[in-house]
Amino acid sequence: MSPNDIQAKIASFTCIEEALDYFEISFDRRFIDTNRVELVKRFNGYLILTKPDDWFSGRRALKNAYCKVQRSLLDKTTRSACRGCTSCQRR
């Protein structure tokens, strides 16, 4: 798949759930419903910073966005782990 193909595929998604399914990332529907706007903004921001050139780089951008939103909800005063983050590699 060429870089233009993956970018066209990402542009064709009508909702964030389609992107999560396409990139095979499991997700919590309640979390998505609550944080949809922040997740979409973060994902689009990562796509702007580094244009995905293959499926793996697109998946990495979405996983990073999902994890960043999850971690932003943790208590800043404690050193709590990223529990429940379905895509986090930082466990």
Side-chain angles (χ1 to χ4, degrees):
M1 186 174 261
S2 74
N4 291 335
D5 292 343
I6 191 69
Q7 291 172 9
K9 182 64 177 175
I10 291 171
S12 74
F13 296 141
T14 59
C15 63
I16 195 68
E17 289 89 351
E18 288 180 11
L20 289 162
D21 288 337
Y22 178 74
F23 289 116
E24 300 172 0
I25 298 173
S26 59
F27 60 94
D28 179 18
R29 179 139 329 262
R30 286 176 287 149
F31 175 79
I32 298 298
D33 291 341
T34 306
N35 301 293
R36 179 180 310 276
V37 173
E38 177 68 22
L39 182 58
V40 170
K41 284 181 183 179
R42 183 85 47 192
F43 180 46
N44 287 333
Y46 285 138
L47 293 177
I48 290 170
L49 288 173
T50 57
K51 299 284 186 216
D53 54 352
D54 60 4
W55 184 87
F56 295 102
S57 60
R59 184 175 196 266
R60 189 176 318 108
L62 184 54
K63 283 180 70 169
N64 288 342
Y66 193 91
C67 183
K68 181 74 172 177
V69 172
Q70 286 254 356
R71 286 184 293 132
S72 72
L73 299 174
L74 295 175
D75 185 13
K76 305 287 189 255
T77 59
T78 64
R79 294 184 51 147
S80 49
C82 193
R83 291 186 200 102
C85 185
T86 56
S87 64
C88 189
Q89 302 299 317
R90 298 172 182 91
R91 293 182 200 205

